[in-house]
Amino acid sequence: MNIQSAIIQGAQILKNKFFLNSYLDSEILMTKAINKDKKYLLLNAQKKIEEKNLDFFYKLIFERSKGKPVSHLTNKKFFWNLEFFVTEDTLIPRPDTELIVENILKITKDKSKLSILDIGTGSGCILLSILSERRDFYGTGIDISKNCLKITNMNAINLKVHSRLKLYKSSVDKFTLGK
């Protein structure tokens, strides 16, 4: 079976489960299954897909058909023009949340060397997006989940803002640093 045929079949499975973006979801899951980007799909649509990759693709389609988010299946989510690693341990960053980043950047446009506290940092998308825009800002992220803090740390390293970030495993009620 070629790549295009598999994508169409995957999209049909998802469409039958009433997924609105079934074709797009199928394409994204195919990029994960064959470990290539969307350009590759377009340029190689007629290329035969390896059996192991096809099996993995159908496994992803099956998981998606049960309602699992695409971002959790691919472990990726774009937020503020940055790519974040996400897992089931983190909330998936929403486009509406970008308004928070936008407003913080607007409010702090004439500020320098600010320290920002992110409570319940999750994947770190808000704090790390701000740090990527403001090179002289520093951030502290707290979360009660050790796994979330690991993910935030990974994202900070990938975005090269790790040196300006401190992470703490704590609830907001028990966090006393700087009080």
Side-chain angles (χ1 to χ4, degrees):
M1 175 177 293
N2 67 32
I3 291 171
Q4 183 64 34
S5 299
I7 290 171
I8 291 169
Q9 278 189 357
Q12 190 58 52
I13 292 167
L14 296 177
K15 189 176 180 182
N16 291 342
K17 297 282 186 171
F18 305 104
F19 284 88
L20 297 176
N21 298 312
S22 59
Y23 191 83
L24 178 61
D25 288 358
S26 187
E27 278 185 326
I28 292 168
L29 296 177
M30 179 58 76
T31 64
K32 172 74 173 181
I34 64 174
N35 199 26
K36 302 285 183 184
D37 62 11
K38 190 167 179 174
K39 284 184 274 187
Y40 181 89
L41 295 184
L42 295 172
L43 297 172
N44 297 281
Q46 299 308 313
K47 189 171 182 174
K48 189 176 188 310
I49 185 170
E50 291 181 34
E51 196 66 34
K52 66 178 181 164
N53 293 341
L54 186 61
D55 291 343
F56 183 43
F57 171 70
Y58 283 124
K59 180 182 174 221
L60 293 171
I61 290 290
F62 177 72
E63 289 297 315
R64 178 67 182 130
S65 73
K66 293 192 306 186
K68 192 167 184 181
V70 172
S71 295
H72 284 164
L73 293 168
T74 63
N75 295 115
K76 281 191 234 183
K77 181 65 178 172
F78 284 91
F79 179 88
W80 198 256
N81 296 323
L82 302 168
E83 184 178 302
F84 286 86
F85 177 77
V86 295
T87 69
E88 292 181 12
D89 293 314
T90 61
L91 292 175
I92 299 168
R94 303 283 183 219
D96 295 357
T97 308
E98 291 181 350
L99 294 172
I100 295 170
V101 174
E102 186 178 325
N103 284 318
I104 290 171
L105 293 174
K106 215 180 281 183
I107 291 167
T108 62
K109 68 180 176 188
D110 297 325
K111 307 284 185 192
S112 63
K113 296 186 180 180
L114 279 182
S115 292
I116 297 172
L117 174 63
D118 186 9
I119 300 167
T121 196
S123 65
C125 65
I126 295 171
L127 181 59
L128 301 180
S129 296
I130 294 166
L131 294 180
S132 74
E133 292 284 332
R134 298 286 193 262
R135 305 280 179 213
D136 60 346
F137 281 21
Y138 295 86
T140 300
I142 65 169
D143 206 297
I144 58 171
S145 167
K146 192 164 118 177
N147 290 339
C148 284
L149 294 173
K150 285 180 185 178
I151 291 165
T152 300
N153 193 47
M154 284 175 46
N155 285 325
I157 291 167
N158 290 339
L159 297 172
K160 297 176 179 32
V161 297
H162 185 262
S163 64
R164 296 182 286 126
L165 177 71
K166 292 195 183 324
L167 297 171
Y168 297 94
K169 182 181 181 305
S170 177
S171 72
V172 70
D173 296 328
K174 294 179 181 167
F175 189 70
T176 58
L177 184 72
K179 279 191 178 179

